[in-house]
Amino acid sequence: MLTLSLLRHAKSSWADPAQDDFDRPLNERGREAAPRMGAYMAEQKLAPKLILCSPALRTRQTLALVLPHLQRTAEIAYEDDLYLASTGQLLKKIRKTTAATSHLMIVGHDPGMHGIATKLAGSGDPATLDFLAAKFPTAGLAVILFDAKSWADVGDGDGRLRFFMTPKRLP
């Protein structure tokens, strides 16, 4: 079984309108939400083997706030092509992952994260699937399970949505 965790970056700051999008930091709400999501991930016993992260400041800061809550066994790679990656680009990245990586986590941006989550999650709790279909909020986390033996075999609707959590829905 393969597990894909999709984490959208936490809320970023728009305080400086002249600031380049790539360099936008997290705002206060984002700095509060990211570690809460990390704690939730730990409660769910999520243990990614490989974490692929966009190199944008807000994604790196999100991951830095989540990491203290995760097991330290994951390899981390910051990949330029994940910055504002489309659904198609994310699918290609996922399919190139080696089968030895049983749990892949991607930290990225919308609309690509929302697109790939809805593309791959074909089953699961109907209400949760509907919630995912409506929106993928900042710091949102979708975890999708696949019966495939290889990431190359993952296709549209093949995954089962294990859960979709957002900071506002945390207990």
Side-chain angles (χ1 to χ4, degrees), residues 22-167:
F22 187 86
D23 297 321
R24 282 192 296 114
L26 295 182
N27 67 13
E28 183 177 338
R29 191 170 112 197
R31 289 188 303 273
E32 187 271 335
R36 289 182 62 225
M37 291 303 292
Y40 178 79
M41 293 170 75
E43 288 172 14
Q44 298 301 312
K45 300 187 183 344
L46 296 182
K49 301 299 181 204
L50 174 62
I51 299 172
L52 302 178
C53 184
S54 161
L57 181 58
R58 61 192 179 272
T59 48
R60 289 184 288 124
Q61 288 178 330
T62 299
L63 181 56
L65 292 168
V66 165
L67 278 178
H69 300 277
L70 301 180
Q71 294 178 357
R72 294 295 181 140
T73 57
E75 175 187 345
I76 300 169
Y78 299 91
E79 301 196 0
D80 291 341
D81 57 349
L82 288 177
Y83 175 61
L84 303 179
S86 69
T87 299
Q89 290 169 307
L90 289 169
L91 184 58
K92 285 179 187 176
K93 181 71 67 178
I94 291 165
R95 286 181 174 160
K96 288 182 181 178
T97 303
T98 66
T101 301
S102 59
H103 186 166
L104 170 65
M105 182 168 124
I106 298 175
V107 184
H109 311 266
D110 246 11
M113 296 296 277
H114 188 207
I116 195 66
T118 56
K119 182 179 187 73
L120 295 178
S123 65
D125 173 68
T128 307
L129 286 165
D130 287 346
F131 181 61
L132 172 64
K135 186 178 181 183
F136 203 121
T138 53
L141 173 70
V143 177
I144 304 169
L145 307 176
F146 300 92
D147 286 329
K149 292 184 172 138
S150 167
W151 289 104
D153 298 331
V154 167
D156 293 10
D158 288 346
R160 180 174 57 84
L161 185 63
R162 179 176 164 208
F163 62 82
F164 179 54
M165 183 54 67
T166 67

Side-chain angles (χ1 to χ4, degrees), residues 1-16:
M1 178 161 298
L2 302 175
T3 302
L4 175 65
S5 294
L6 299 169
L7 178 64
R8 183 176 174 201
H9 66 78
K11 192 76 172 165
S12 59
S13 174
W14 290 88
D16 181 358

